[in-house]
Amino acid sequence: MLEQLREKLPSLDTPEPTPAKHDRPRRARQLDHDKIQELIAGYQSGSTVYELGDRFGIERRTVSSILQRHGVPMRRRGLSPEQVDDAIHFYNLGWSLARVGQRLGVDHVTVLNKLRERGVPTRDTHGRPRIEAGDLR
């Protein structure tokens, strides 16, 4: 039995296996001068940082950093009062925050914050009414 176990062990001549590679944080993709100018022009012509991030294969935060580094004034989109009314209407129809945000061109968290500001009860990810911390008494 001991002999059978010894046969399963690698021989001393066998090279050691290479260690498993761990995923390292990836380095941000660098855009060349022409791409940066294209990104700036896109933003100035109305594209959002999300759209530009998708187009250039970078994070929206990277887009914002590039724009700030080049002195480009940032737009604060947010939602107008009429858009908040629309968001409430769509949300009450059963739309998800993500779908409402996509329709209005903003992040779902922006929609959530505006709904909360207006006192609109929100749902959890399963569509059930969300229980607020104060309601646990």
Side-chain angles (χ1 to χ4, degrees):
M1 181 158 170
L2 188 58
E3 200 58 41
Q4 290 173 337
L5 287 174
R6 188 177 294 176
E7 287 175 14
K8 290 182 180 181
L9 290 172
S11 80
L12 295 175
D13 299 338
T14 306
E16 286 193 35
T18 57
K21 290 185 179 183
H22 297 285
D23 288 338
R24 288 188 219 154
R26 287 192 256 166
R27 186 172 172 193
R29 183 168 167 217
Q30 299 293 314
L31 298 180
D32 63 27
H33 177 75
D34 292 340
K35 291 289 183 191
I36 289 173
Q37 294 309 310
E38 188 180 330
L39 183 142
I40 292 170
Y43 185 76
Q44 290 174 332
S45 68
S47 293
T48 67
V49 292
Y50 295 96
E51 292 166 344
L52 293 167
D54 289 343
R55 186 184 323 163
F56 290 94
I58 57 178
E59 289 283 321
R60 65 139 179 99
R61 290 176 297 213
T62 305
V63 172
S64 296
S65 295
I66 291 169
L67 294 170
Q68 288 169 356
R69 208 172 26 235
H70 288 84
V72 177
M74 300 295 291
R75 294 186 299 268
R76 280 284 187 224
R77 290 238 19 231
L79 293 173
S80 69
E82 295 78 22
Q83 288 175 311
V84 176
D85 292 340
D86 289 344
I88 292 169
H89 174 73
F90 295 136
Y91 189 74
N92 286 336
L93 288 175
W95 288 26
S96 68
L97 292 171
R99 185 175 175 199
V100 173
Q102 188 174 29
R103 170 73 180 259
L104 298 174
V106 295
D107 191 72
H108 70 281
V109 177
T110 302
V111 175
L112 176 63
N113 290 336
K114 291 298 179 182
L115 294 179
R116 286 180 174 165
E117 283 175 16
R118 293 270 189 102
V120 175
T122 57
R123 303 181 295 268
D124 67 12
T125 56
H126 301 286
R128 298 178 299 233
R130 191 176 299 275
I131 298 173
E132 300 298 328
D135 297 340
L136 296 176
R137 290 183 249 168

